[in-house]
Amino acid sequence: MGLLNVKTSKESITHAIEQLLAKEPSYFLIEVNIKPTNNIQVLIDGDEGISVSKCAQLNHALYKKIQEAAWFSSGEFSLEVSLPGVDKPLIILRQYHKNIGRKIKVVQNDNSVLLGLLTSVTDDYITLQTQEGKGKKATQKEISILFNNIKTATVQIQF
């Protein structure tokens, strides 16, 4: 059987998780995905990060809401509430704000790649501090990139 309406269910699940998160404004929804196998994936994050126990708590509360609302005609679904992986591109504006001061890799729509320190974020663009050259000849440069020119932006993990 599966979903009665994938779009309606995705909107319903999005609304339900947003209601749960409204009680705790330091956490935010990144995205909801539903696979044809009724596997629901909810990606969340927090301004100061989020613990595994908080993900489990939200998973339990959302699972209960989905069951009670009977959004899946077969009654069969799986639910995963988690953080995005470190390799997952930034999706929403709040993620960019959270990562100010971190090194990011930006692939632009023309497939050119920029690597730099995320120094600021506005509603329209981000600013990266890049370095050209090495050693004593190295120069710092600030580059602003409009969001509509960004294909992907990914935080670079430094060890």
Side-chain angles (χ1 to χ4, degrees):
M1 287 288 232
L3 292 173
L4 294 174
N5 182 326
V6 174
K7 186 177 179 192
T8 302
S9 293
K10 185 173 180 176
E11 289 171 357
S12 299
I13 291 165
T14 299
H15 181 69
I17 193 72
E18 285 174 342
Q19 283 182 318
L20 292 170
L21 293 174
K23 298 170 189 169
E24 302 181 64
S26 67
Y27 301 117
F28 55 93
L29 175 65
I30 297 171
E31 72 179 340
V32 174
N33 291 308
I34 303 175
K35 295 181 180 174
T37 56
N38 293 348
N39 178 334
I40 307 159
Q41 182 185 45
V42 178
L43 297 179
I44 56 174
D45 204 348
D47 295 323
E48 302 297 322
I50 189 165
S51 68
V52 172
S53 62
K54 177 53 72 177
C55 286
Q57 178 188 358
L58 290 167
N59 186 309
H60 179 73
L62 183 58
Y63 193 93
K64 189 174 178 182
K65 280 186 175 233
I66 293 169
Q67 273 189 319
E68 288 171 357
W71 288 324
F72 294 87
S73 58
S74 67
E76 294 180 19
F77 66 93
S78 64
L79 176 64
E80 174 189 339
V81 175
S82 64
L83 285 161
V86 293
D87 60 336
K88 185 114 170 119
L90 303 176
I91 297 172
I92 64 171
L93 185 63
R94 199 159 166 186
Q95 287 179 286
Y96 284 90
H97 282 286
K98 177 185 174 187
N99 286 291
I100 289 174
R102 296 184 77 182
K103 192 174 192 177
I104 68 169
K105 176 182 175 182
V106 176
V107 178
Q108 298 183 97
N109 290 333
D110 65 1
N111 289 324
S112 62
V113 177
L114 293 168
L115 194 61
L117 191 69
L118 180 62
T119 58
S120 68
V121 179
T122 71
D123 288 342
D124 301 315
Y125 63 90
I126 63 171
T127 303
L128 288 184
Q129 182 182 53
T130 62
Q131 181 175 314
E132 292 181 1
K134 292 186 178 194
K136 292 180 182 181
K137 295 184 179 184
T139 58
Q140 302 292 319
K141 186 172 156 185
E142 294 251 322
I143 300 172
S144 294
I145 308 163
L146 292 170
F147 280 112
N148 60 9
N149 288 335
I150 297 175
K151 189 183 228 178
T152 61
T154 311
V155 174
Q156 301 300 291
I157 303 302
Q158 296 177 323
F159 297 97

